[in-house]
Amino acid sequence: MFSAFDVSTSGLIAQRTRLNAISSNLANMSTTRNERGEAQAYVPRYVTFETDTELATSGGGVGVQVGSVEYSDSAPRMKYEPGHPDADENGYVAYPDIDMTSEFVDALEATRAYEANLGVIEVTKDLGARTLQILA
C-alpha cells in the first residue's frame, strides 16, 4: 500500500515541477531582458520526465521523476518596435518564442495528471481504511 503512495507522490512532484516551468514561461512571454539586465529574450523551459524504478508497486507500476529541465533552442520572435529600449539597430525587439495556447494546454494536462494522482492516493487510503475495518 505504501508503495502506491510513493508512486503517486512522485507523480505529484513531477507535475508540480512541470507546472512551475509552464507558469514561468507564461509569466515571461514579454520579457526582453535576462537576469543580468542585458537585452536578451527569456528562454522558455520545458520539463522532461523519466521512470523511477526505485519506486515500484507489486503490480508493476513505477514512479516518475524529473529527468531534466531543458531550455528551448528556438529562435526568439522578432517584432518591429523601433522606439523600444531593447530594439536592435534595425528596430527589432527579440521576444521569447512562447505559444500561449500550447502552454495552456500543457498546464491543463499537468493539472489533470496531478488530480489523477491525488485520486489514486484517496482510493488507496480508502482501501486501507476498509481493510482495517474488515480485520477489526
Side-chain angles (χ1 to χ4, degrees), residues 6 13 16 29 37 48 66 70 76 80 104 118-119 125:
D6 292 340
I13 293 168
R16 184 188 66 213
M29 283 185 61
T48 60
V66 174
E70 303 288 330
Y80 185 70
F104 276 125
L118 284 175
K125 184 177 74 170

Side-chain angles (χ1 to χ4, degrees), residues 15 17 43 55-56 67 80 82 100 102 122 133 136:
Q15 294 301 336
T17 304
V43 180
L55 298 175
Y80 185 70
M100 187 183 329
S102 296
E122 285 298 316
Q133 285 176 345

Side-chain angles (χ1 to χ4, degrees), residues 95-128:
Y95 285 98
D97 186 26
I98 298 173
D99 180 31
M100 187 183 329
T101 304
S102 296
E103 295 293 330
F104 276 125
V105 169
D106 287 347
L108 184 61
E109 181 183 344
T111 302
R112 296 292 183 249
Y114 193 92
E115 291 170 352
N117 280 297
L118 284 175
V120 169
I121 289 172
E122 285 298 316
V123 168
T124 304
K125 184 177 74 170
D126 289 345
L127 286 172

